[in-house]
Amino acid sequence: MKDEDIFDEMWGYEECVRSPYECFNSWFCDEDPTRLRAKQREADTLFRLTGITFNVYGRSEAEERLIPFDIIPRIISGSEWFRLSRGIDQRVRAINAFIHDIYHNQEIVKAGRIPLEMISKNEAFLPEMIGVQPPGGIYTHIVGIDLVRTGPGDFFVLEDNARTPSGVSYMLENRETMLQMFPELFSQNRVQPVQNYPVNLRRSLAACAPNRTKGAPVVAVLTPGIYNSAYFEHAFLADQMGVELVEGHDLKVENGRVAMRTTRGYTPIDVLYRRVDDEFLDPLNFNSDSQLGVPGIMDVYRSGGITIANAPGTGIADDKAIYSYMPEIVEFYTGERPFLKNVPTYRCSEPKDLQYVLGNLAELVVKEVHGSGGYGMLIGPASSKKELDNFRAKLKARPGNYIAQPTLSLSTVPIFTRNGLAPRHVDLRPFVLVSPDGVQVTPGGLTRVALKKGSLVVNSSQGGGTKDTWVLED
């Protein structure tokens, strides 16, 4: 695909700066490149000193890496964001209604909109959640919707993250770094704030406390521990919210409540923001070998003694095979046409779709149904014949484990290089808070950028970086 066919968010299709970038471009043209290079080094140093890192699994080299950060912001107009947030709100409401339905009456299955086997044979479906009514009726308290852009008004949802979406700490640190290094830019551009996310998160979680809660709800963050790839974020959010960061061994079930160990003894918890996967949450109900969870927590949860955010079993909503049904899901539960488009998706579990995928593998992106982080995927146009042949064998062996999508012409955003600005492909993960009070979409989100020229893979685990995302006040 030629560069002139790719939409650049700063320049569009022509050599003319788009309106959201006009103020920034005037500032950039007056800046000394030497100063900007120094600022980029300063940003790298800040990230290193703050400890903004992530772990890479399955590699022989050093596990811990610095998150690459680019100082050129991604800028979205207020009118663009209004349309996006409207679509995100609709989609998140539909996801929550879908999860409630499949664990209760399964009306969408009865209506023939989704095959029963997509639910019953889905490894993310938890029978233990059947009939469970979470406090406030909320299953997905924190959601991350991954978006890509292909044109001025063309946004697609790439995937839904309804289990434990990560990356919000990078969004907040990116903004803090930019405010510290370029305060003049924020006085010249009316950028909507994201810094109040931790306050909003705690308020949203507290609003989901069980009915039996007395006084101010006690909130805590459950982490698998320091070796988890997102441990920095767990500690960061607990600190920013002013709540305790706990591990499984800090908790126990006592008098029908989940209590955490403190210097004053054990204190009951009302809301637990867990960053532990379902399988390891409760060794009495799930994986008996787990040392990360709390024995008996599911029994307390089912009795209404604690709120778990996000609810167990929400993973079925970010299954990539279920994703292909999202237009039907949105319409079924909201009665509206989806405001945000899905990427056309081939389900390899269906013989007709599998035949098409096998015959057009070099043109498609293939993903594992339960995959994440860019692992286990194939980007056909960037793959060798040997890689294509190997993946073709995987597809034939386990077709139900994969979906395929066309290769989209992802938009680009400039990054700062030694030779000036250069376009790189990006995606966007806005963060959404859900409570009985409603849906709140943080204005901005995490922009992930493929730092390698021509690459479409933006995941940090695969060499991508991040940049600050500005939503302007129109």
Side-chain angles (χ1 to χ4, degrees):
M1 186 172 294
K2 298 178 181 178
D3 288 348
E4 59 263 29
D5 296 329
I6 297 172
F7 175 73
D8 186 84
E9 297 186 19
M10 181 171 178
W11 298 98
Y13 294 109
E14 310 291 340
E15 290 299 310
C16 182
V17 177
R18 296 179 64 246
S19 58
Y21 280 86
E22 285 177 351
C23 185
F24 170 81
N25 185 61
S26 297
W27 171 88
F28 182 81
C29 290
D30 291 336
E31 282 295 303
D32 179 2
T34 303
R35 175 178 179 265
L36 292 179
R37 283 194 288 269
K39 287 291 185 181
Q40 181 67 70
R41 291 193 296 270
E42 181 183 339
D44 295 340
T45 301
L46 281 172
F47 271 52
R48 188 173 291 106
L49 291 175
T50 307
I52 306 175
T53 59
F54 68 99
N55 290 341
V56 179
Y57 300 127
R59 301 289 182 91
S60 58
E61 61 263 32
E63 290 183 342
E64 199 167 34
R65 292 184 180 178
L66 187 71
I67 293 285
F69 173 71
D70 179 65
I71 62 172
I72 305 300
R74 181 190 198 171
I75 307 177
I76 300 171
S77 73
S79 58
E80 289 172 332
W81 183 254
F82 175 78
R83 294 193 299 272
L84 271 181
S85 58
R86 183 168 172 248
I88 293 168
D89 177 289
Q90 179 197 53
R91 195 172 180 101
V92 169
R93 285 187 288 111
I95 287 173
N96 195 68
F98 167 68
I99 299 173
H100 181 277
D101 184 29
I102 62 168
Y103 287 117
H104 289 82
N105 298 325
Q106 298 192 351
E107 297 292 346
I108 196 168
V109 175
K110 295 173 184 176
R113 305 297 287 270
I114 291 183
L116 176 61
E117 57 268 21
M118 292 298 297
I119 306 298
S120 61
K121 295 182 180 180
N122 195 308
E123 64 182 55
F125 178 76
L126 287 187
E128 293 84 357
M129 284 295 293
I130 294 176
V132 176
Q133 181 72 18
I138 306 299
Y139 290 82
T140 53
H141 307 79
I142 303 101
V143 187
I145 304 292
D146 287 355
L147 301 166
V148 292
R149 189 176 193 174
T150 59
D154 298 320
F155 289 89
F156 290 84
V157 176
L158 199 59
E159 60 183 57
D160 305 288
N161 296 277
R163 291 180 232 207
T164 53
S166 62
V168 73
S169 60
Y170 306 139
M171 174 190 79
L172 295 169
E173 287 291 359
N174 289 351
R175 177 59 55 84
E176 185 64 29
T177 300
M178 290 294 286
L179 281 166
Q180 184 173 335
M181 294 195 306
F182 303 111
E184 71 277 15
L185 274 175
F186 291 87
S187 62
Q188 297 169 19
N189 295 268
R190 294 181 298 167
V191 183
Q192 296 190 39
V194 298
Q195 299 92 315
N196 52 1
Y197 177 87
V199 173
N200 292 337
L201 174 60
R202 178 166 183 172
R203 185 180 296 126
S204 182
L205 291 172
C208 297
N211 292 331
R212 67 180 69 173
T213 301
K214 297 178 181 179
V218 176
V219 179
V221 177
L222 175 63
T223 177
I226 60 173
Y227 298 108
N228 184 266
S229 62
Y231 180 75
F232 167 83
E233 178 159 296
H234 307 164
F236 176 89
L237 287 176
D239 178 65
Q240 293 291 307
M241 286 194 290
V243 304
E244 294 295 331
L245 179 69
V246 297
E247 297 183 33
H249 57 76
D250 297 318
L251 307 177
K252 71 174 182 178
V253 173
E254 185 177 66
N255 299 322
R257 301 287 302 278
V258 175
M260 62 180 172
R261 181 170 50 195
T262 70
T263 55
R264 300 179 302 279
Y266 278 88
T267 300
I269 296 172
D270 299 300
V271 182
L272 188 64
Y273 177 21
R274 54 96 177 209
R275 299 297 293 261
V276 172
D277 292 342
D278 288 351
E279 180 185 359
F280 305 104
L281 187 60
D282 184 346
L284 296 184
N285 283 272
F286 306 124
N287 187 337
S288 59
D289 295 327
S290 173
Q291 301 294 314
L292 304 177
V294 186
I297 190 173
M298 279 298 296
D299 300 319
V300 177
Y301 179 67
R302 283 191 287 256
S303 70
I306 191 171
T307 295
I308 300 177
N310 286 344
T314 55
I316 195 165
D318 58 26
D319 174 279
K320 291 181 178 63
I322 292 293
Y323 161 91
S324 65
Y325 290 95
M326 277 306 298
E328 290 92 338
I329 289 172
V330 170
E331 191 169 346
F332 187 83
Y333 296 107
T334 68
E336 303 167 334
R337 301 280 293 176
F339 300 139
L340 290 173
K341 294 179 284 189
N342 255 33
V343 180
T345 302
Y346 301 96
R347 307 177 192 113
C348 296
S349 58
E350 299 182 9
K352 185 178 179 181
D353 282 5
L354 176 62
Q355 183 179 3
Y356 177 83
V357 172
L358 291 173
N360 297 272
L361 200 55
E363 302 167 13
L364 300 171
V365 175
V366 187
K367 303 176 183 177
E368 289 184 352
V369 168
H370 300 292
S372 63
Y375 296 106
M377 68 184 292
L378 174 88
I379 299 180
S383 301
S384 66
K385 185 179 183 302
K386 182 179 180 181
E387 289 170 332
L388 292 171
D389 289 341
N390 289 341
F391 219 93
R392 193 171 281 109
K394 291 182 181 180
L395 281 167
K396 291 178 179 178
R398 298 187 62 192
N401 200 42
Y402 298 94
I403 57 98
Q405 297 170 332
T407 307
L408 297 181
S409 176
L410 301 189
S411 66
T412 57
V413 169
I415 67 167
F416 185 68
T417 71
R418 295 193 64 85
N419 297 320
L421 299 181
R424 295 293 186 270
H425 295 292
V426 290
D427 75 355
L428 175 66
R429 176 176 292 179
F431 294 96
V432 190
L433 300 176
V434 189
S435 76
D437 299 328
V439 176
Q440 186 174 10
V441 185
T442 304
L446 177 67
T447 286
R448 300 182 298 180
V449 54
L451 297 176
K452 183 180 178 182
K453 183 179 180 180
S455 174
L456 297 173
V457 182
V458 299
N459 304 80
S460 54
S461 57
Q462 308 295 318
T466 68
K467 53 169 64 233
D468 194 14
T469 308
W470 294 2
V471 173
L472 303 182
E473 295 179 357
D474 281 0

